[in-house]
Amino acid sequence: MKESEHLNDNQKKRVMVLKDILLRLHKGAESESVQAEFDEHFQGVSAIEISLMEHELIDSEDNAITFEDVMKLCNVHANLFKNRVSEPGKVSEFEKPGHPIQIMRTENQAMRAAVMRINRIIKNLGEPPFEKGLLRGLYNQLNLLGQFDAHYKRKEEVWFPVMEKYGHDAPPKVMWGVDDQIRELFDQVKRDLEVIDKVGRDKLQESFETFSFEFNEMIFKEETILVPLVLDIFNEDDWIGIAKDSKEYGYTIVKPAEEWVPERVSFIEEDSDSEEKEEIAIEDVPRHKEMPFGNGFLTLNEVEKILDILPLELTFINKDNVFKYFNDSIPDEEKVFRRAPSAIGREVKNCHPPKSLDMVLGLIADLSSGRKDKESMWFPRKNGQFIHVTYAAVRDDDGTYMGILEYVQDIQPLRELTGMKRGLSEQDAE
């Protein structure tokens, strides 16, 4: 369902006013000049309207606004709505320990506290030579704050796919782009700290103030725009899936004290008189029945075990560019691209950060059109792995495009091979 279908006529008119305000800001209007107009027209604005406004700005054919433009306006937009965002009614379930909303808010409090501590340390550094104890404390606090990447990854890889499922694809795209900018600003702070004896305290303080401003703005956007929006559209099934998948990416500063276990409520309306529902769950498929595969026969169980023993990360997207399958043969700590079950059914263009989207779409166009059959990339990782990635077009017997298979392998062990080995090992390799 599109965002506009959630709104009545009055709300749609308000969206158009909001859109006009941001378009004027895009063309150079001062924020003060539109603030009064906003105050005149709005007593409150919902997160749904914000989502629709961003969606229309990005997708409208009658203007040149892109998600990069909206990203530039993101802070102005958030400032206009500060203290005016109307949240849906309170729901106590979301405040229970371990609920994804409660975890996000707890982490945001912990991260704000870390920012304040770092600010105090930088201000107390004085002039060189800097006190070693203060520098050590500063390193420790920055390492602690650096855990925010897990917070961002959970949001990007677990929350955003569910939002897109409901048609809200603009806010994730914009927010992911800003997340990447914040990561770059944090990296600059760390670089300045490494050479503080050369650049001085003032340079470090300047780069940290730039980072912390954007960082705190993102916390505001999460709590006053993102959270109200998802509270409006996610159901309990969604939250259970998010809570489960979040463990894959870890937590920031504060680990959940306990697991959130809600009273299970079914959100699927069942019609006992209907016999038309024929959905078959994977667990209902005969796992040991022989089925024809290529030049032989395999059971579903054998297929699954074979795919999960290959020393490759396999991912398949179908002809409609929808993420359809991934295997599970590589230990989590060694995976190059971690996948969460909630990503199944997600459009591949929404599985990547904005900065790499053009390359991804170009690759899909090349493979689907037949201009290429394969594309390969390779690169080293800091953990000693050397990664080789292949994207291969999958085609039917008549040449019809079916999708793309991505396979990823650490080839460093192969690069280190010398001589030959033509006999059996005495025991399994460690």
Side-chain angles (χ1 to χ4, degrees):
M1 181 177 289
K2 297 180 179 179
E3 283 99 330
S4 57
E5 294 174 10
H6 289 281
L7 307 176
N8 58 37
D9 290 340
N10 288 333
Q11 290 171 322
K12 290 177 183 177
K13 291 177 182 178
R14 292 173 62 186
V15 168
M16 295 308 297
V17 174
L18 289 172
K19 177 181 175 181
D20 179 66
I21 287 175
L22 286 197
L23 283 170
R24 283 157 51 201
L25 286 170
H26 169 70
K27 294 176 181 178
E30 295 293 330
S31 58
E32 292 80 5
S33 68
V34 298
Q35 184 75 63
E37 182 177 349
F38 181 87
D39 292 341
E40 177 183 352
H41 286 88
F42 300 95
Q43 294 297 320
V45 60
S46 72
I48 289 277
E49 287 172 275
I50 297 171
S51 173
L52 178 57
M53 176 197 62
E54 291 177 340
H55 189 96
E56 289 190 351
L57 279 170
I58 292 173
D59 289 346
S60 177
E61 297 181 355
D62 60 1
N63 67 69
I65 299 295
T66 65
F67 79 86
E68 287 91 350
D69 296 321
V70 177
M71 202 160 66
K72 294 174 186 175
L73 300 174
C74 204
N75 286 338
V76 177
H77 145 201
N79 187 55
L80 291 175
F81 302 143
K82 200 165 284 185
N83 300 322
R84 290 178 171 82
V85 179
S86 57
E87 295 191 15
K90 295 180 180 178
V91 183
S92 60
E93 191 70 41
F94 304 135
E95 299 302 322
K96 290 183 178 179
H99 189 284
I101 292 287
Q102 190 269 344
I103 291 172
M104 171 172 277
R105 287 174 167 166
T106 300
E107 288 183 345
N108 279 339
Q109 292 172 357
M111 291 189 294
R112 277 195 292 258
V115 168
M116 293 172 65
R117 290 194 296 270
I118 292 170
N119 263 323
R120 284 198 298 269
I121 294 174
I122 293 176
K123 289 177 181 178
N124 289 329
L125 279 177
E127 300 299 326
F130 301 111
E131 185 181 330
K132 291 184 179 179
L134 284 176
L135 286 179
R136 187 163 53 250
L138 186 53
Y139 273 109
N140 291 340
Q141 288 300 318
L142 276 175
N143 286 334
L144 187 69
L145 183 59
Q147 295 178 24
F148 77 85
D149 193 55
H151 180 97
Y152 283 11
K153 282 182 177 177
R154 287 201 324 273
K155 177 177 64 176
E156 294 159 355
E157 302 290 349
V158 182
W159 289 46
F160 288 175
V162 185
M163 294 176 67
E164 290 155 6
K165 179 178 73 173
Y166 289 102
H168 295 270
D169 55 347
K173 191 177 294 184
V174 172
M175 193 169 278
W176 200 336
V178 179
D179 285 350
D180 281 347
Q181 291 180 349
I182 292 171
R183 289 179 172 109
E184 292 171 3
L185 291 173
F186 185 73
D187 287 342
Q188 182 60 53
V189 172
K190 291 192 293 183
R191 287 193 292 269
D192 288 343
L193 179 57
E194 290 294 333
V195 293
I196 188 172
D197 290 331
K198 293 182 179 179
V199 302
R201 185 199 68 170
D202 290 347
K203 179 65 169 66
L204 176 64
Q205 186 169 9
E206 178 184 350
S207 61
F208 186 74
E209 285 177 352
T210 301
F211 159 77
S212 61
F213 175 81
E214 299 294 342
F215 189 72
N216 286 328
E217 284 293 307
M218 179 54 69
I219 290 176
F220 163 75
K221 293 163 195 166
E222 286 180 354
E223 298 201 358
T224 62
I225 297 176
L226 177 64
V227 168
L229 173 57
V230 297
L231 286 178
D232 248 359
I233 61 176
F234 289 1
N235 61 35
E236 189 173 85
D237 287 343
D238 296 325
W239 288 121
I240 291 172
I242 288 170
K244 178 182 178 183
D245 291 345
S246 291
K247 299 173 186 177
E248 175 83 11
Y249 298 93
Y251 301 96
T252 299
I253 302 179
V254 183
K255 293 184 178 180
E258 58 187 87
E259 185 176 353
W260 172 61
V261 182
E263 294 182 9
R264 194 65 177 91
V265 177
S266 173
F267 288 86
I268 300 175
E269 296 181 6
E270 296 185 1
D271 183 357
S272 58
D273 295 327
S274 174
E275 297 181 358
E276 295 181 4
K277 293 185 178 180
E278 293 292 338
E279 279 193 29
I280 301 176
I282 189 68
E283 57 268 20
D284 295 331
V285 177
R287 298 188 59 79
H288 300 283
K289 180 180 179 181
E290 297 287 352
M291 295 181 286
F293 272 94
N295 295 319
F297 293 83
L298 291 170
T299 67
L300 178 63
N301 193 53
E302 288 169 342
V303 171
E304 181 179 297
K305 300 307 179 186
I306 289 171
L307 292 174
D308 281 346
I309 204 172
L310 293 175
L312 304 166
E313 295 176 40
L314 299 177
T315 302
F316 178 70
I317 65 168
N318 68 9
K319 61 182 178 62
D320 298 317
N321 301 330
V322 173
F323 185 24
K324 193 173 182 182
Y325 168 81
F326 67 95
N327 71 340
D328 194 23
S329 62
I330 308 298
D332 287 347
E333 63 273 13
E334 297 178 14
K335 287 180 180 176
V336 181
F337 305 120
R338 290 192 177 190
R339 309 297 189 190
S342 59
I344 298 297
R346 191 181 186 193
E347 284 192 62
V348 70
K349 69 179 182 180
N350 295 321
C351 295
H352 297 81
K355 63 183 181 182
S356 64
L357 186 58
D358 286 345
M359 183 179 71
V360 171
L361 296 179
L363 173 63
I364 292 173
D366 286 344
L367 294 175
S368 62
S369 67
R371 198 171 82 85
K372 293 181 180 179
D373 288 320
K374 282 187 179 181
E375 180 65 80
S376 296
M377 302 176 186
W378 51 90
F379 51 88
R381 296 184 78 194
K382 292 180 180 179
N383 64 0
Q385 293 179 318
F386 194 92
I387 301 303
H388 190 274
V389 185
T390 301
Y391 304 91
V394 179
R395 306 190 195 282
D396 210 339
D397 293 342
D398 61 0
T400 302
Y401 173 73
M402 299 173 66
I404 297 173
L405 179 68
E406 172 194 73
Y407 45 101
V408 183
Q409 184 176 19
D410 173 19
I411 62 171
Q412 184 59 33
L414 302 180
R415 299 175 83 214
E416 295 173 356
L417 292 177
T418 59
M420 68 174 66
K421 178 182 183 295
R422 304 184 68 174
L424 302 176
S425 302
E426 292 185 3
Q427 59 184 21
D428 291 340
E430 293 294 332

